[in-house]
Protein backbone atom coordinates (compact mmCIF):
# COMPACT_ATOMS: atom_id res chain seq x y z
CA UNK A 1 0.00 0.00 0.00
CA UNK A 2 1.33 3.44 -0.94
CA UNK A 3 2.36 5.65 1.96
CA UNK A 4 0.68 8.87 0.84
CA UNK A 5 2.52 10.84 3.52
CA UNK A 6 5.89 9.67 2.21
CA UNK A 7 4.82 10.51 -1.34
CA UNK A 8 3.90 13.98 -0.13
CA UNK A 9 7.16 14.42 1.78
CA UNK A 10 9.18 13.52 -1.30
CA UNK A 11 7.63 16.48 -3.14
CA UNK A 12 9.32 18.90 -0.72
CA UNK A 13 12.69 19.64 -2.30
CA UNK A 14 14.56 22.85 -1.54
CA UNK A 15 15.29 24.61 -4.80
CA UNK A 16 12.86 22.42 -6.75
CA UNK A 17 9.44 23.36 -5.38
CA UNK A 18 6.31 21.47 -6.38
CA UNK A 19 3.10 23.45 -6.75
CA UNK A 20 0.53 22.37 -4.17
CA UNK A 21 -2.82 23.63 -5.44
CA UNK A 22 -5.42 24.72 -2.89
CA UNK A 23 -8.91 23.57 -3.87
CA UNK A 24 -12.32 24.05 -2.31
CA UNK A 25 -14.66 21.30 -3.49
CA UNK A 26 -14.71 17.95 -5.28
CA UNK A 27 -14.97 19.53 -8.71
CA UNK A 28 -11.98 21.83 -8.31
CA UNK A 29 -9.99 18.95 -6.81
CA UNK A 30 -10.73 16.59 -9.69
CA UNK A 31 -10.04 19.27 -12.26
CA UNK A 32 -6.65 20.20 -10.78
CA UNK A 33 -5.59 16.57 -10.47
CA UNK A 34 -6.61 15.94 -14.10
CA UNK A 35 -4.50 18.91 -15.18
CA UNK A 36 -1.41 17.47 -13.53
CA UNK A 37 -1.32 18.66 -9.92
CA UNK A 38 0.94 16.38 -7.89
CA UNK A 39 -0.54 17.49 -4.56
CA UNK A 40 -3.55 19.41 -3.36
CA UNK A 41 -4.55 21.27 -0.23
CA UNK A 42 -7.69 22.64 1.28
CA UNK A 43 -7.97 26.37 1.94
CA UNK A 44 -9.76 27.57 5.04
CA UNK A 45 -10.70 30.82 3.30
CA UNK A 46 -11.97 29.13 0.14
CA UNK A 47 -13.89 26.58 2.22
CA UNK A 48 -15.44 29.36 4.28
CA UNK A 49 -16.50 31.15 1.08
CA UNK A 50 -18.43 28.04 -0.02
CA UNK A 51 -20.34 28.19 3.25
CA UNK A 52 -21.10 31.88 2.90
CA UNK A 53 -18.71 32.85 5.68
CA UNK A 54 -15.66 35.12 5.86
CA UNK A 55 -12.20 33.70 6.50
CA UNK A 56 -10.60 33.60 9.93
CA UNK A 57 -11.79 31.14 12.55
CA UNK A 58 -15.29 30.61 11.19
CA UNK A 59 -14.86 26.87 10.55
CA UNK A 60 -15.10 24.07 13.08
CA UNK A 61 -12.74 21.10 13.15
CA UNK A 62 -15.57 18.75 12.23
CA UNK A 63 -16.42 20.91 9.22
CA UNK A 64 -12.79 21.02 8.09
CA UNK A 65 -12.40 17.26 8.45
CA UNK A 66 -15.64 16.54 6.56
CA UNK A 67 -14.62 18.95 3.82
CA UNK A 68 -11.18 17.33 3.49
CA UNK A 69 -12.75 13.87 3.44
CA UNK A 70 -14.95 14.88 0.49
CA UNK A 71 -11.87 15.95 -1.48
CA UNK A 72 -9.95 12.82 -0.49
CA UNK A 73 -12.81 10.75 -1.83
CA UNK A 74 -12.32 11.90 -5.44
CA UNK A 75 -8.53 12.19 -5.87
CA UNK A 76 -5.50 9.97 -5.39
CA UNK A 77 -2.75 12.56 -5.01
CA UNK A 78 -1.61 13.70 -1.53
CA UNK A 79 -3.86 16.25 0.14
CA UNK A 80 -2.87 18.65 2.93
CA UNK A 81 -5.45 20.11 5.27
CA UNK A 82 -5.42 23.83 6.03
CA UNK A 83 -6.37 23.44 9.66
CA UNK A 84 -5.92 27.03 10.82
CA UNK A 85 -4.69 27.12 14.43
CA UNK A 86 -5.29 23.42 15.00
CA UNK A 87 -8.81 24.29 16.18
CA UNK A 88 -7.76 24.97 19.73
CA UNK A 89 -5.32 26.94 21.82
CA UNK A 90 -3.70 24.16 23.83
CA UNK A 91 -1.01 21.76 22.59
CA UNK A 92 -3.11 18.66 23.29
CA UNK A 93 -5.83 19.89 20.92
CA UNK A 94 -3.24 20.40 18.17
CA UNK A 95 -2.00 16.84 18.72
CA UNK A 96 -5.53 15.46 18.54
CA UNK A 97 -6.16 17.40 15.34
CA UNK A 98 -3.11 15.72 13.78
CA UNK A 99 -4.39 12.28 14.74
CA UNK A 100 -7.88 13.00 13.39
CA UNK A 101 -6.47 14.38 10.14
CA UNK A 102 -4.32 11.27 9.65
CA UNK A 103 -7.29 8.99 10.31
CA UNK A 104 -9.22 10.36 7.32
CA UNK A 105 -6.21 9.99 5.02
CA UNK A 106 -4.67 13.45 4.82
CA UNK A 107 -0.96 13.46 3.96
CA UNK A 108 -0.32 16.40 6.26
CA UNK A 109 -1.75 19.56 7.77
CA UNK A 110 -0.59 23.07 8.52
CA UNK A 111 -1.03 24.74 11.89
CA UNK A 112 -0.62 28.48 12.36
CA UNK A 113 0.31 30.56 15.39
CA UNK A 114 -2.67 32.93 15.33
CA UNK A 115 -5.17 33.10 18.19
CA UNK A 116 -8.26 32.85 16.03
CA UNK A 117 -10.73 34.40 15.49
CA UNK A 118 -8.50 37.43 16.15
CA UNK A 119 -5.16 38.42 14.62
CA UNK A 120 -2.95 38.18 17.71
CA UNK A 121 -0.11 35.66 17.77
CA UNK A 122 0.25 33.06 20.48
CA UNK A 123 3.06 33.82 22.91
CA UNK A 124 6.36 32.48 21.59
CA UNK A 125 6.77 29.60 24.04
CA UNK A 126 3.18 28.43 23.69
CA UNK A 127 3.42 28.60 19.90
CA UNK A 128 6.45 26.31 19.99
CA UNK A 129 4.81 23.92 22.46
CA UNK A 130 1.79 23.60 20.20
CA UNK A 131 3.99 22.55 17.28
CA UNK A 132 6.01 20.21 19.51
CA UNK A 133 2.83 18.39 20.57
CA UNK A 134 1.56 18.22 16.98
CA UNK A 135 4.91 16.89 15.74
CA UNK A 136 5.02 14.24 18.47
CA UNK A 137 1.54 13.07 17.43
CA UNK A 138 2.64 12.95 13.79
CA UNK A 139 5.74 10.89 14.59
CA UNK A 140 3.65 8.43 16.60
CA UNK A 141 1.49 7.59 13.57
CA UNK A 142 2.00 4.26 11.77
CA UNK A 143 2.70 6.10 8.49
CA UNK A 144 4.39 9.28 7.35
CA UNK A 145 2.67 12.61 7.88
CA UNK A 146 3.96 16.07 6.95
CA UNK A 147 3.42 18.79 9.56
CA UNK A 148 3.69 22.35 8.30
CA UNK A 149 4.14 25.06 10.92
CA UNK A 150 2.99 28.55 10.00
CA UNK A 151 4.24 31.82 11.42
CA UNK A 152 1.41 34.14 10.41
CA UNK A 153 2.46 37.31 12.17
CA UNK A 154 3.74 39.07 9.05
CA UNK A 155 0.44 38.38 7.29
CA UNK A 156 -1.60 39.48 10.31
CA UNK A 157 0.59 42.47 11.17
CA UNK A 158 1.46 41.21 14.65
CA UNK A 159 5.24 40.82 14.14
CA UNK A 160 8.00 41.29 11.58
CA UNK A 161 10.25 39.04 9.49
CA UNK A 162 12.85 38.80 12.25
CA UNK A 163 10.29 37.41 14.68
CA UNK A 164 8.90 35.10 12.00
CA UNK A 165 12.37 33.62 11.47
CA UNK A 166 12.83 33.20 15.21
CA UNK A 167 9.51 31.36 15.43
CA UNK A 168 10.14 29.18 12.39
CA UNK A 169 13.50 28.15 13.82
CA UNK A 170 11.74 27.16 17.04
CA UNK A 171 9.07 25.28 15.09
CA UNK A 172 11.75 23.37 13.19
CA UNK A 173 13.45 22.51 16.47
CA UNK A 174 10.06 21.35 17.77
CA UNK A 175 9.74 18.87 14.91
CA UNK A 176 7.93 20.65 12.07
CA UNK A 177 8.59 19.15 8.63
CA UNK A 178 7.80 22.24 6.53
CA UNK A 179 7.90 25.92 7.46
CA UNK A 180 5.69 28.72 6.24
CA UNK A 181 5.54 32.48 6.82
CA UNK A 182 2.87 33.84 4.46
CA UNK A 183 3.45 37.12 2.65
CA UNK A 184 6.86 38.39 3.77
CA UNK A 185 7.62 41.92 2.54
CA UNK A 186 9.49 40.83 -0.59
CA UNK A 187 11.58 38.09 -2.21
CA UNK A 188 14.63 39.20 -0.25
CA UNK A 189 12.80 38.58 3.03
CA UNK A 190 11.59 35.21 1.74
CA UNK A 191 15.19 34.32 0.85
CA UNK A 192 16.24 35.26 4.39
CA UNK A 193 13.63 32.87 5.78
CA UNK A 194 14.86 30.06 3.55
CA UNK A 195 18.50 30.68 4.46
CA UNK A 196 17.76 30.82 8.20
CA UNK A 197 16.13 27.38 8.32
CA UNK A 198 16.93 23.85 7.25
CA UNK A 199 13.48 22.37 6.63
CA UNK A 200 11.69 23.06 3.31
CA UNK A 201 9.95 26.44 3.22
CA UNK A 202 6.53 26.94 1.64
CA UNK A 203 5.94 30.13 -0.33
CA UNK A 204 2.46 31.53 -0.85
CA UNK A 205 1.77 32.83 -4.34
CA UNK A 206 -0.63 35.70 -3.82
CA UNK A 207 -0.60 39.45 -4.25
CA UNK A 208 2.83 40.79 -5.20
CA UNK A 209 4.29 37.29 -5.35
CA UNK A 210 1.97 36.39 -8.23
CA UNK A 211 4.27 38.49 -10.43
CA UNK A 212 7.06 35.95 -9.88
CA UNK A 213 7.45 32.62 -11.67
CA UNK A 214 8.39 29.16 -10.47
CA UNK A 215 12.08 29.58 -11.26
CA UNK A 216 12.25 32.75 -9.12
CA UNK A 217 11.18 30.75 -6.09
CA UNK A 218 13.44 27.82 -6.99
CA UNK A 219 16.44 30.12 -7.29
CA UNK A 220 16.18 31.19 -3.64
CA UNK A 221 15.70 27.62 -2.38
CA UNK A 222 11.94 27.48 -1.71
CA UNK A 223 10.78 23.89 -1.18
CA UNK A 224 7.04 24.15 -1.91
CA UNK A 225 4.56 26.54 -3.50
CA UNK A 226 0.97 26.97 -2.35
CA UNK A 227 -1.83 29.22 -3.56
CA UNK A 228 -3.92 29.77 -0.45
CA UNK A 229 -7.25 31.20 -1.54
CA UNK A 230 -5.81 32.84 -4.69
CA UNK A 231 -7.41 30.43 -7.15
CA UNK A 232 -10.76 30.58 -5.36
CA UNK A 233 -10.63 34.38 -5.35
CA UNK A 234 -10.08 34.35 -9.11
CA UNK A 235 -13.43 32.59 -9.47
CA UNK A 236 -15.05 35.10 -7.14
CA UNK A 237 -13.51 37.94 -9.17
CA UNK A 238 -15.08 36.49 -12.33
CA UNK A 239 -18.48 36.26 -10.61
CA UNK A 240 -18.14 39.74 -9.15
CA UNK A 241 -17.23 41.35 -12.47
CA UNK A 242 -19.87 39.48 -14.45
CA UNK A 243 -22.57 40.37 -11.91
CA UNK A 244 -21.46 44.01 -11.89
CA UNK A 245 -21.91 44.15 -15.67
CA UNK A 246 -25.19 42.25 -15.71
CA UNK A 247 -26.89 43.90 -12.77
CA UNK A 248 -25.46 47.33 -13.42
CA UNK A 249 -25.67 47.80 -17.18
CA UNK A 250 -27.49 44.69 -18.37
CA UNK A 251 -24.27 43.64 -20.14
CA UNK A 252 -23.84 39.87 -20.52
CA UNK A 253 -20.70 39.94 -22.68
CA UNK A 254 -18.43 38.68 -19.88
CA UNK A 255 -20.30 35.36 -19.97
CA UNK A 256 -18.86 34.80 -23.42
CA UNK A 257 -15.43 34.35 -21.82
CA UNK A 258 -16.48 31.19 -20.00
CA UNK A 259 -14.76 27.86 -20.58
CA UNK A 260 -16.59 25.22 -22.60
CA UNK A 261 -18.50 22.66 -20.56
CA UNK A 262 -16.97 20.01 -22.83
CA UNK A 263 -13.52 20.91 -21.53
CA UNK A 264 -14.69 20.75 -17.93
CA UNK A 265 -16.54 17.47 -18.47
CA UNK A 266 -13.45 15.91 -20.03
CA UNK A 267 -11.29 16.89 -17.07
CA UNK A 268 -13.84 15.70 -14.51
CA UNK A 269 -14.02 12.29 -16.14
CA UNK A 270 -10.30 11.90 -16.79
Amino acid sequence: MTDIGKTFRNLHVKGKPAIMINVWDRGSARMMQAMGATSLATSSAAHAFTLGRPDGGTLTRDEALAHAAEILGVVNVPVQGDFENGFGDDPDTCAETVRMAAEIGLAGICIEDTMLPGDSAYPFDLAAERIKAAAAAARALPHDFVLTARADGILCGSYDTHEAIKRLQAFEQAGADCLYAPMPPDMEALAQIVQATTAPVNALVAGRFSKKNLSDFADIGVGRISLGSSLARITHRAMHDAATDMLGDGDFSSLGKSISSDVIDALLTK
Side-chain angles (χ1 to χ4, degrees):
M1 184 177 179
T2 301
D3 186 335
I4 200 73
K6 184 176 181 180
T7 300
F8 187 42
R9 183 179 299 279
N10 289 340
L11 294 173
H12 295 69
V13 181
K14 299 189 75 168
K16 192 179 178 181
I19 303 173
M20 181 180 70
I21 299 183
N22 298 79
V23 295
W24 55 91
D25 60 14
R26 287 174 288 186
S28 59
R30 285 181 66 98
M31 186 172 183
M32 292 301 98
Q33 177 178 268
M35 294 190 73
T38 55
S39 65
L40 303 172
T42 63
S43 160
S44 60
H47 180 197
F49 297 161
T50 69
L51 299 175
R53 302 175 194 168
D55 182 29
T58 63
L59 301 172
T60 67
R61 182 166 63 183
D62 286 346
E63 287 174 331
L65 287 165
H67 175 65
E70 283 193 353
I71 290 170
L72 286 164
V74 297
V75 298
N76 53 34
V77 296
V79 179
Q80 174 186 277
D82 175 0
F83 279 9
E84 299 191 303
N85 67 339
F87 300 105
D89 298 330
D90 60 284
D92 286 345
T93 299
C94 292
E96 182 63 18
T97 296
V98 166
R99 289 189 285 269
M100 295 176 76
E103 285 176 1
I104 67 169
L106 285 169
I109 62 170
C110 60
I111 294 179
E112 63 192 63
D113 63 348
T114 307
M115 298 173 64
L116 295 172
D119 290 332
S120 299
Y122 288 106
F124 182 90
D125 289 343
L126 176 57
E129 283 300 313
R130 285 161 38 82
I131 297 303
K132 183 177 180 180
R139 299 295 80 83
L141 295 170
H143 51 78
D144 206 352
F145 189 88
V146 177
L147 174 66
T148 298
R150 286 178 51 159
D152 273 31
I154 302 173
L155 178 66
C156 296
S158 57
Y159 54 72
D160 60 11
T161 301
H162 176 77
E163 176 66 15
I165 289 174
K166 181 181 175 184
R167 286 181 176 238
L168 291 176
Q169 289 172 332
F171 296 163
E172 182 173 7
Q173 185 66 31
D177 302 301
C178 182
L179 306 171
Y180 182 18
M183 299 304 291
D186 47 40
M187 288 293 282
E188 289 72 23
L190 179 57
Q192 290 175 13
I193 291 169
V194 172
Q195 293 163 9
T197 54
T198 301
V201 170
N202 181 91
L204 171 65
V205 178
R208 55 189 172 273
F209 290 100
S210 62
K211 298 178 181 179
K212 304 298 180 179
N213 58 42
L214 185 61
S215 63
D216 293 327
F217 294 102
D219 288 345
I220 62 171
V222 167
R224 189 181 75 194
I225 300 290
S226 67
L227 311 182
S229 61
S230 294
L231 195 58
R233 286 185 286 108
I234 288 174
T235 68
H236 280 266
R237 163 59 72 183
M239 288 190 294
H240 173 275
D241 291 352
T244 298
D245 292 342
M246 289 186 295
L247 301 177
D249 302 321
D251 179 2
F252 300 100
S253 61
S254 58
L255 299 182
K257 302 174 184 177
S258 63
I259 189 172
S260 167
S261 60
D262 291 341
V263 175
I264 298 173
D265 292 347
L267 289 168
L268 296 181
T269 55
K270 188 173 180 178

